[in-house]
Amino acid sequence: MIKSLLATAFAATCFANVEAKTLVYCSEGSPENFTPALNTTGTSFDAARPMFDKLTAFARGSTLVEPGLAESWTVTEGGKTITFKLRRGVKFHSGVNGFKPTRDFNADDVLWSFERQWKPEHPYNKVSGGKYDYFGDMDMPKLLEAIEKVDDYTVRMKLKDPNTPLLANLAMDFATIQSAEYADFLAQQNKKEQFDQLPVGTGPFSFVAYQKDAVIRFKANKEYWGEKARVDDLVYAITPDPTARYSKLKAGECHFIIAPRPADLPEMQKDSTLKVISQSGLNIAYWAFNTTKPPFDKKEVRQAFSMAIDKAAIIRDVYLGAGQAAKNLIPPTLWSYNDAVKDYPYDAERARALLKQAGVATPMDIDLWYMPVQRPYNPNAKRIAEMMQADLAKIGVNAKLVTFEWGEYRKRAQQGEHTTAQLGWTGDNGDPDNFFFLRGCAAARPGGQNLTKWCNKDYDDRLNRSKTLPDQKERAKLYGEMQVIEKEEAPDLKIAHSTVYEAMRANVVGYKQSPFGAHQFNGVDLQ
């Protein structure tokens, strides 16, 4: 009997040692597709990150730029030419639709990926709608002179002007490198539309399956060139409601969640089966005024609306202390922050007087768009909108609350359909330019990420000049002046910089919180 029990125990131990490990991430939404170049939301980027690499990369949990698919680079001609030496031996995944790669990653894939976004004649330029907002908002069409294949493992990028943030920008999601061979495989079958829905990359996990609004499944890429996955399978359990995410975490149905409700944090932090981590967010939540629509084409009106909102009450009642009032686009932790800027005071009487001075009769009607999802920079957009609505009523403004499905919300707001709209930003690369471009003229175009559609020459001249300067002090001086200009012009109300909390089961090890709000699971294990 004892021998039998020992044999059973031994067999169980052996089985446990070889049993596959599955890490479940309760994510908050469905992706629009799996090609980052087509998207602008963190939700869609998160869904694609396990599968892809860029030329440069951010060290996991850091703003440090390190080699990615480019193992090295040299900068010449005063910053106008960058020559990338590509990593050899990098394997593409096989596709779930029968695609089998016949070659390793090389320069053809780099040219294909950038030219899809850049060249209208590219065979995939118009596929899946053909909108490359990030590429445009980062001024890549104006910046690029040429991208040349020197040989299979050398790519030369020629710029019209030096661009200091570029190497960090190339570590951003829009610069993901995809398989030119896979694109050809699908084109030959007249199935180009599969390219962005059934992804093939070089990343630490490969795609298995996706069920909209339910689940995304990945498996570990055993041939990955970099820091490998330490689990066998990765599952995104799509769970939009934060209360449901927390319930699943407590029940052990998922191992990791983002954006817990501030009200749930005290209970989470006392639970020995969980771990809660946090850091100051590289982020901003704001309320954008569409400056192309009267009366928001007058700065006095925008200033009045900035004074009408009790921001301290929002921080207290919605963020529950897990945030600080914002007065500049960039958070105080980022270099070039101008602390000398004075925020607009909460002053309903003065707001009414400014509206009258601007010739605006009250009562007046506006729309106030609020996001349908929780974001790391905004724990409850609907509640904030309701509080704003109540504040605006005190100055004779009737605000109609409006929202849409998340993808539709972003699309419509970027086209400028709103009068006012809530949104926000989490930095992508640790450079102030990555925030200030949000109010630049290039991003004010229809479809661009400047929801205010504000375009100011003094601001924009400084923005464009700052990118060409290698000296950080000179750049900081220009950025400081831009913050003064933007405060005076008031194209938006800056609400808060949040503290970003994430929670996981206590047995999750090796996870590093990203300053960019990215979630990376290679190197993460379950004890």
Side-chain angles (χ1 to χ4, degrees), residues 287 364-370 385-386 388-389 392 397-404 419-421:
W287 181 33
M364 66 174 289
D365 298 329
I366 66 164
D367 60 41
L368 198 172
W369 291 23
Y370 67 90
E386 291 168 344
M388 287 179 168
Q389 185 183 47
L392 292 169
V397 175
N398 303 313
K400 178 186 177 183
L401 303 190
V402 176
T403 195
F404 302 93
T419 304
T420 74

XYZ file of all heavy atoms in Angstrom, residues 287 364-370 385-386 388-389 392 397-404 419-421:
200
model
N -9.459 67.318 -20.638
C -10.753 67.588 -21.277
C -10.477 68.552 -22.418
O -10.083 69.699 -22.189
C -11.701 68.197 -20.246
C -13.077 68.511 -20.737
C -13.811 67.848 -21.665
C -13.902 69.597 -20.261
N -15.036 68.438 -21.819
C -15.129 69.517 -20.974
C -13.735 70.612 -19.329
C -16.161 70.419 -20.771
C -14.768 71.506 -19.116
C -15.968 71.410 -19.835
N -26.373 78.209 -22.396
C -25.866 77.665 -23.657
C -25.734 76.156 -23.536
O -25.603 75.621 -22.434
C -24.516 78.285 -24.025
C -23.380 77.932 -23.074
S -21.751 78.514 -23.606
C -21.410 77.454 -24.998
N -25.780 75.472 -24.687
C -25.697 74.014 -24.723
C -24.385 73.566 -25.355
O -23.935 74.153 -26.348
C -26.857 73.432 -25.536
C -28.218 73.748 -24.935
O -28.298 73.860 -23.693
O -29.189 73.899 -25.707
N -23.773 72.539 -24.776
C -22.587 71.913 -25.367
C -22.741 70.399 -25.243
O -23.612 69.906 -24.521
C -21.274 72.341 -24.664
C -21.227 71.818 -23.212
C -21.083 73.856 -24.708
C -19.848 71.852 -22.590
N -21.896 69.666 -25.946
C -21.798 68.238 -25.659
C -20.502 67.983 -24.893
O -19.515 68.694 -25.051
C -21.883 67.380 -26.929
C -20.803 67.669 -27.950
O -19.650 67.871 -27.561
O -21.117 67.688 -29.161
N -20.546 66.993 -24.025
C -19.388 66.616 -23.209
C -19.204 65.117 -23.370
O -19.956 64.328 -22.825
C -19.634 66.997 -21.746
C -18.434 67.084 -20.794
C -18.874 67.672 -19.444
C -17.750 65.747 -20.562
N -18.221 64.741 -24.178
C -17.970 63.324 -24.434
C -17.144 62.730 -23.298
O -16.191 63.353 -22.821
C -17.213 63.152 -25.748
C -17.990 63.490 -26.979
C -19.082 64.301 -27.094
C -17.706 63.016 -28.300
N -19.507 64.367 -28.390
C -18.673 63.590 -29.165
C -16.740 62.176 -28.841
C -18.692 63.345 -30.526
C -16.759 61.921 -30.205
C -17.727 62.503 -31.033
N -17.492 61.515 -22.897
C -16.697 60.817 -21.885
C -16.380 59.410 -22.378
O -17.169 58.779 -23.079
C -17.423 60.776 -20.535
C -18.679 59.937 -20.515
C -18.635 58.578 -20.178
C -19.917 60.496 -20.824
C -19.778 57.808 -20.167
C -21.076 59.725 -20.811
C -20.991 58.383 -20.480
O -22.120 57.607 -20.471
N -17.389 63.231 -15.848
C -18.283 63.981 -16.731
C -19.511 64.473 -15.969
O -19.970 65.610 -16.164
C -18.705 63.110 -17.910
N -20.047 63.643 -15.094
C -21.210 64.048 -14.296
C -20.861 65.207 -13.366
O -21.663 66.138 -13.183
C -21.734 62.848 -13.505
C -22.371 61.788 -14.383
C -22.636 60.485 -13.648
O -22.063 60.285 -12.537
O -23.394 59.651 -14.176
N -18.430 67.402 -13.864
C -18.250 68.565 -14.734
C -19.609 69.150 -15.135
O -19.805 70.370 -15.146
C -17.476 68.169 -15.997
C -16.008 67.910 -15.786
S -15.235 67.410 -17.353
C -13.502 67.536 -16.920
N -20.526 68.269 -15.463
C -21.869 68.699 -15.855
C -22.506 69.556 -14.755
O -23.108 70.607 -15.032
C -22.722 67.464 -16.133
C -24.109 67.738 -16.672
C -24.896 66.439 -16.843
O -24.928 65.583 -15.940
N -25.516 66.266 -18.005
N -20.703 72.970 -14.576
C -21.035 73.832 -15.706
C -22.429 74.437 -15.562
O -22.679 75.573 -15.989
C -20.928 73.048 -17.018
C -19.511 72.626 -17.412
C -19.556 71.639 -18.571
C -18.646 73.821 -17.763
N -24.299 76.698 -18.265
C -23.975 75.828 -19.398
C -24.631 74.464 -19.196
O -24.444 73.816 -18.163
C -22.448 75.657 -19.555
C -22.128 74.653 -20.666
C -21.780 77.002 -19.839
N -25.413 74.043 -20.180
C -26.055 72.730 -20.155
C -25.205 71.756 -20.961
O -25.090 71.883 -22.186
C -27.459 72.810 -20.762
C -28.331 73.826 -20.057
O -28.391 73.864 -18.831
N -29.001 74.682 -20.832
N -24.602 70.803 -20.272
C -23.710 69.839 -20.931
C -24.438 68.520 -21.152
O -24.890 67.882 -20.196
C -22.460 69.621 -20.098
N -24.570 68.126 -22.405
C -25.163 66.832 -22.739
C -24.059 65.775 -22.752
O -23.074 65.899 -23.491
C -25.825 66.908 -24.112
C -26.425 65.572 -24.574
C -26.952 65.671 -26.004
C -27.488 64.333 -26.479
N -27.939 64.388 -27.898
N -24.206 64.747 -21.936
C -23.182 63.706 -21.854
C -23.331 62.723 -23.014
O -24.435 62.257 -23.308
C -23.270 62.964 -20.527
C -23.153 63.825 -19.256
C -23.012 62.935 -18.025
C -21.977 64.795 -19.352
N -22.201 62.427 -23.675
C -22.203 61.598 -24.886
C -21.065 60.583 -24.782
O -19.970 60.916 -24.317
C -21.974 62.464 -26.153
C -21.886 61.594 -27.405
C -23.073 63.513 -26.298
N -21.317 59.354 -25.209
C -20.220 58.394 -25.340
C -20.538 57.425 -26.477
O -21.644 57.390 -27.004
C -19.956 57.638 -24.031
O -18.679 56.990 -24.097
C -21.020 56.588 -23.744
N -19.529 56.650 -26.865
C -19.633 55.642 -27.924
C -18.772 54.445 -27.536
O -17.979 54.515 -26.589
C -19.116 56.194 -29.267
C -19.834 57.424 -29.752
C -19.355 58.697 -29.450
C -20.982 57.312 -30.533
C -20.014 59.829 -29.900
C -21.641 58.437 -30.988
C -21.157 59.704 -30.676
N -17.694 68.613 -29.466
C -17.472 69.993 -29.023
C -16.437 69.994 -27.905
O -15.477 70.758 -27.927
C -18.785 70.630 -28.526
O -19.755 70.554 -29.568
C -18.565 72.094 -28.170
N -16.648 69.113 -26.921
C -15.637 68.882 -25.884
C -15.552 67.382 -25.653
O -16.555 66.673 -25.805
C -15.990 69.587 -24.559
O -17.051 68.869 -23.904
C -16.393 71.041 -24.781
N -14.384 66.884 -25.293
C -14.222 65.443 -25.099
C -13.131 65.147 -24.086
O -12.071 65.778 -24.095
C -13.893 64.756 -26.421
